[in-house]
């Protein structure tokens, strides 16, 4: 009715997130930053203990005989992006890093690695410069298409978990 109001309880907070890698929202992003408080949250600040149990299904065990962990792959993935920042599309390193919930399931499968993680790194992170991917897999790998790249998903995960290779 006209003249009525909505009351919001004092314990209710409204949060919004934005990904600045979408250039079509640039002006809206700046408007939000001017009008509201905002806080940077680093991907590594997620300390949910359940994340320690998320395994990489289909990628074998680590040197201790335990299943390889998604949490370890995320850290290595982000380190790989930072180390190869000169090849990252548009130089927006933080927008290209992922969080532990990039794939948010109880276990991470080979299909999720290929269809989400590898597609993201191929199409969004290193979409113009595949050199870091060739170096990670071994320069003898021909990477012309995404189909070429996902054939090496086992090596991708193995090498990324050992990154930087010493």
């Amino acid at each position: 009715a006209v003249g009525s109001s909505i009351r919001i309880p004092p314990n209710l907070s409204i949060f919004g997130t934005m990904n600045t890698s979408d250039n079509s929202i640039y002006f809206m992003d700046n408007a939000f930053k001017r009008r509201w408080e905002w806080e940077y949250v680093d991907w590594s600040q997620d300390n949910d203990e359940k994340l320690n149990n998320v395994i990489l299904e289909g990628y074998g065990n680590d040197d201790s005989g335990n299943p390889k962990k998604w949490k370890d792959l995320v850290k290595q993935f982000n380190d790989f992006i930072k180390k190869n920042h000169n090849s990252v599309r548009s130089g927006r390193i933080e927008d290209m890093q992922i969080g532990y919930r990039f794939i948010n399931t109880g276990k991470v499968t080979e299909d999720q690695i290929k269809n989400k993680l590898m597609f993201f790194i191929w199409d969004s992170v290193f979409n113009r410069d595949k050199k870091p991917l060739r170096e990670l897999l071994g320069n003898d790998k021909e990477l012309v298409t995404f189909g070429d790249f996902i054939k090496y998903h086992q090596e991708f995960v193995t090498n990324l978990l050992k990154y930087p290779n010493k």
Side-chain angles (χ1 to χ4, degrees):
V2 174
S4 63
S5 62
I6 297 174
R7 295 199 176 138
I8 298 175
N11 63 344
L12 175 68
S13 298
I14 300 173
F15 293 92
T17 62
M18 300 212 53
N19 181 343
T20 57
S21 65
D22 184 349
N23 292 326
S24 65
I25 64 166
Y26 174 77
F27 294 109
M28 189 168 69
D29 185 32
N30 283 338
F32 283 145
K33 287 177 184 174
R34 284 193 314 270
R35 290 174 175 83
W36 289 287
E37 292 182 34
W38 62 285
E39 171 186 3
Y40 172 76
V41 178
D42 191 89
W43 63 270
S44 64
Q45 291 176 322
D46 191 342
N47 294 319
D48 186 343
E49 289 295 319
K50 293 179 202 168
L51 295 168
N52 294 326
N53 300 321
V54 179
I55 64 164
L56 294 169
E57 184 178 72
Y59 292 99
N61 297 330
D62 62 19
D63 294 338
S64 302
N66 299 312
K68 293 178 182 174
K69 302 280 179 96
W70 167 243
K71 194 171 182 179
D72 297 331
L73 187 63
V74 169
K75 182 195 177 308
Q76 295 302 102
F77 182 88
N78 290 334
D79 287 349
F80 178 71
I81 289 171
K82 283 171 59 177
K83 175 88 168 145
N84 292 285
H85 67 275
N86 288 330
S87 297
V88 172
R89 179 182 135 208
S90 72
R92 293 182 175 177
I93 311 311
E94 288 169 324
D95 287 342
M96 298 303 167
Q97 291 182 311
I98 63 169
Y100 299 125
R101 297 174 198 278
F102 181 79
I103 298 175
N104 194 17
T105 54
K107 63 184 173 191
V108 176
T109 66
E110 292 176 79
D111 283 343
Q112 289 171 310
I113 293 291
K114 291 188 282 188
N115 298 330
K116 188 156 187 188
L117 183 64
M118 292 181 76
F119 183 75
F120 175 70
I121 199 169
W122 178 267
D123 191 61
S124 296
V125 181
F126 299 114
N127 67 329
R128 292 191 179 108
D129 183 1
K130 307 297 189 221
K131 183 180 176 190
L133 301 178
R134 279 192 296 280
E135 289 175 350
L136 180 70
L137 294 172
N139 282 315
D140 60 325
K141 305 293 189 285
E142 185 176 1
L143 301 178
V144 177
T145 67
F146 177 64
D148 295 334
F149 182 48
I150 63 171
K151 289 178 196 171
Y152 303 109
H153 68 95
Q154 287 285 341
E155 290 171 72
F156 173 76
V157 168
T158 300
N159 293 353
L160 204 50
L161 284 168
K162 293 178 183 175
Y163 189 81
N165 299 329
K166 295 179 179 171

